[in-house]
Amino acid sequence: MEFDKNSQNAANATAGDSQSSVYIARQPIFDASGQVEAYELLYRNTEQNFSNASTIGDEEATSAVISESILNFGMYELTNGKKAFVNFAEGYLLNKAAYLLDPGQFVIEILENVVFTVEVIDAVYSLKAAGFEVALDDYIGTEIPEEILSMIDIVKIDFKDTTSQQRAAFAPGLLKAGKTLLAEKVETKEDVQEATSLGCQLLQGYYFSKPVMMKKNSMEISSVSYQKLSKELTAADIDLNNIAWVVNSDAHMTFKLLKRMNTLQYYRGNSITSIKHALVLMGNDEVRRWIMLILLRDMSNTKSDELIRAALIRAFMCEKMTREIGRQELAPAAYSTGMLSILSNNAQNLEELLNSIQIPVLVRDALSGKDTLLKRLLEIAISYETGHWNKLEYLISYSVPELSLKLLPGLYMMSVSAADDMLSKEHA
């Protein structure tokens, strides 16, 4: 892609305005011949090469590894085209965060403390159906029910917390069940010899390599770009020329747009020649939604994809409801209302947050609590997502009677699908 020199100089200047360091560690996984087969990606938040995941929690560690590996490092840089093993805590198995990842690049590694409830089993079944390989971490010989074992592709045998006798007892059964055995925490030559004699096809541990730290600067959107983009959201007709200028002048925005364009849906073999061309391929509605998603992350100061996903679902739900009741002219404002509704979680600073961007009066009124159609639609969306059925029935009967209650399940499922699709594009 070619840019003019002024735009590129501005991008370089912006890149230096605000940078903070992000970290991740990777530990190679070898095959029996000593060739690197894959890497395990490990949480780090300082230059010290150890994890404090126990302090922040397994789920936050999972979130950090996913976001940093995809957004800041890029998978090829991290793994040289090899697969990446990522630890998944129970919450991240259930909240479908894995679907932000490419099944061809990632192996879902289930942590040893995950309880296989009915919900977890269903989640793992879905991951398998989506094409993911699944590994069981830190296995020490406990009985694995057949229903669970059938879904496991790789069993990581813990060489630190098991004895040779224990390993010799359970390894043959796992091999007979067709499982790939990975010997982890291998620290001595004797460990390697035993692992290979047991039939372990993969090996990992300090004998081969300690985790290697990787560091990268994380850029943030400049305040100037932030203000200019928020202004564009209020325009009746979005101006792609103005947006292209803003993106061209902000290195972080340029990176985010090009990452987003790296999807089959947009690319389809086209040679993207400029930022403007990329925006045209996306289309006005998609560009507007993309801008709001980026600004909302900054405003809400969150890295939680689940919170953003909830906002996206509300946004699509509100938008679809306006179309169902014949108020298509309100669709853009309804979408904005749903997206920005998560800011009400921080009610103390809600007015300040709303004043920090330029939004239509209709949206501001709805979020400020005035009794408007947009506020009612937002309440319906929230009542549906939270399961407040009595309130939902009341709202539809008395505040938006032209909306049919029986349509909501279909509208909600379409909104979930649209939200997941948008997040997958953001992380492409």
Side-chain angles (χ1 to χ4, degrees):
M1 179 177 293
E2 296 181 358
F3 305 99
D4 62 73
K5 290 183 179 179
N6 290 335
S7 294
Q8 190 59 58
N9 289 338
N12 291 338
T14 304
D17 285 346
S18 176
Q19 292 189 339
S20 58
S21 295
V22 293
Y23 308 90
I24 202 167
R26 68 177 194 182
Q27 186 174 29
I29 295 170
F30 297 86
D31 64 19
S33 67
Q35 299 298 310
V36 176
E37 181 75 13
Y39 290 91
E40 181 174 359
L41 302 183
L42 302 164
Y43 170 78
R44 300 290 187 267
N45 70 344
T46 70
E47 293 189 9
Q48 302 300 315
N49 195 359
F50 64 87
S51 171
N52 64 350
S54 59
T55 303
I56 67 165
D58 289 332
E59 292 186 10
E60 188 174 339
T62 299
S63 174
V65 169
I66 292 173
S67 61
E68 303 303 1
S69 62
I70 299 175
L71 295 179
N72 284 306
F73 287 93
M75 286 308 299
Y76 188 82
E77 179 180 348
L78 277 175
T79 68
N80 302 318
K82 309 290 185 181
K83 280 198 171 186
F85 284 59
V86 176
N87 292 326
F88 264 69
E90 182 173 331
Y92 269 74
L93 289 170
L94 296 176
N95 71 11
K96 301 186 184 298
Y99 296 100
L100 300 174
L101 308 177
D102 180 354
Q105 289 185 321
F106 289 87
V107 176
I108 306 301
E109 189 169 323
I110 302 176
L111 290 174
E112 69 279 6
N113 58 4
V114 169
V115 178
F116 282 92
T117 60
V118 172
E119 292 77 14
V120 169
I121 292 173
D122 287 344
V124 178
Y125 268 126
S126 297
L127 290 172
K128 292 287 295 177
F132 285 98
E133 283 188 281
V134 176
L136 185 62
D137 192 28
D138 290 340
Y139 183 66
I140 57 173
T142 53
E143 183 178 353
I144 307 175
E146 180 57 36
E147 184 180 20
I148 297 167
L149 184 63
S150 66
M151 299 186 293
I152 303 299
D153 300 290
I154 302 166
V155 178
K156 300 185 71 175
I157 300 175
D158 190 327
F159 263 60
K160 186 176 180 180
D161 288 339
T162 56
T163 65
S164 296
Q165 292 76 14
Q166 289 173 322
R167 296 189 286 269
F170 62 68
L174 294 172
L175 285 173
K176 186 177 180 180
K179 307 307 168 186
T180 296
L181 302 187
L182 188 159
E184 64 175 343
K185 303 176 186 175
V186 171
E187 298 185 355
T188 67
K189 184 178 180 180
E190 290 71 28
D191 286 344
V192 174
Q193 292 173 339
E194 181 192 342
T196 54
S197 68
L198 286 173
C200 294
Q201 299 98 318
L202 301 173
L203 305 108
Q204 177 186 10
Y206 284 7
Y207 177 79
F208 297 100
S209 173
K210 293 184 178 181
V212 176
M213 281 287 294
M214 302 185 76
K215 174 182 176 182
K216 201 174 186 69
N217 288 327
S218 176
M219 296 178 294
E220 300 297 336
I221 300 173
S222 73
S223 58
V224 174
S225 298
Y226 184 88
Q227 291 299 326
K228 288 178 179 176
L229 287 175
S230 69
K231 183 178 181 180
E232 284 299 322
L233 290 177
T234 65
D237 295 312
I238 198 166
D239 190 327
L240 294 184
N241 287 316
N242 287 344
I243 294 173
W245 187 91
V246 175
V247 174
N248 262 324
S249 63
D250 190 300
H252 188 56
M253 288 289 294
T254 299
F255 173 78
K256 278 186 169 290
L257 177 63
L258 296 183
K259 290 286 283 184
R260 189 175 186 80
M261 292 304 298
N262 190 30
T263 66
L264 182 61
Q265 178 178 344
Y266 292 139
Y267 188 71
R268 292 179 180 172
N270 293 311
S271 177
I272 300 171
T273 57
S274 67
I275 290 294
K276 172 70 178 298
H277 183 203
L279 294 171
V280 169
L281 287 175
M282 288 175 70
N284 287 7
D285 288 344
E286 189 76 2
V287 169
R288 192 188 297 272
R289 289 168 179 167
W290 174 67
I291 290 172
M292 181 164 289
L293 178 59
I294 290 173
L295 297 183
L296 184 60
R297 282 195 183 279
D298 188 66
M299 288 178 66
S300 60
N301 193 29
T302 181
K303 291 186 177 181
S304 168
D305 277 321
E306 196 58 24
L307 185 61
I308 295 298
R309 181 174 180 267
L312 283 168
I313 293 172
R314 289 183 193 176
F316 283 113
M317 185 80 166
C318 290
E319 179 188 70
K320 293 178 185 302
M321 286 191 290
T322 61
R323 300 188 190 281
E324 284 294 333
I325 63 176
R327 298 297 303 273
Q328 290 89 340
E329 76 281 4
L330 292 177
Y335 183 91
S336 299
T337 300
M339 276 293 283
L340 297 173
S341 65
I342 65 167
L343 297 177
S344 62
N345 294 337
N346 190 3
Q348 183 177 359
N349 299 316
L350 178 59
E351 185 175 352
E352 179 183 343
L353 289 170
L354 293 178
N355 288 335
S356 68
I357 61 172
Q358 300 182 49
I359 57 176
V361 174
L362 283 174
V363 177
R364 189 180 300 276
D365 286 348
L367 294 172
S368 298
K370 292 187 178 179
D371 186 21
T372 65
L373 177 59
L374 291 183
K375 177 179 177 291
R376 296 171 189 173
L377 292 176
L378 176 61
E379 288 181 333
I380 289 172
I382 294 174
S383 295
Y384 189 90
E385 79 178 41
T386 55
H388 290 166
W389 310 120
N390 291 336
K391 181 178 181 180
L392 181 66
E393 189 172 354
Y394 174 85
L395 286 169
I396 290 181
S397 298
Y398 296 100
S399 65
V400 192
E402 57 268 48
L403 183 66
S404 172
L405 181 63
K406 67 180 181 180
L407 292 176
L408 292 187
L411 294 179
Y412 185 77
M413 292 307 299
M414 286 190 288
S415 299
V416 169
S417 177
D420 288 344
D421 182 56
M422 191 160 189
L423 276 177
S424 70
K425 291 173 189 173
E426 187 192 10
H427 294 292

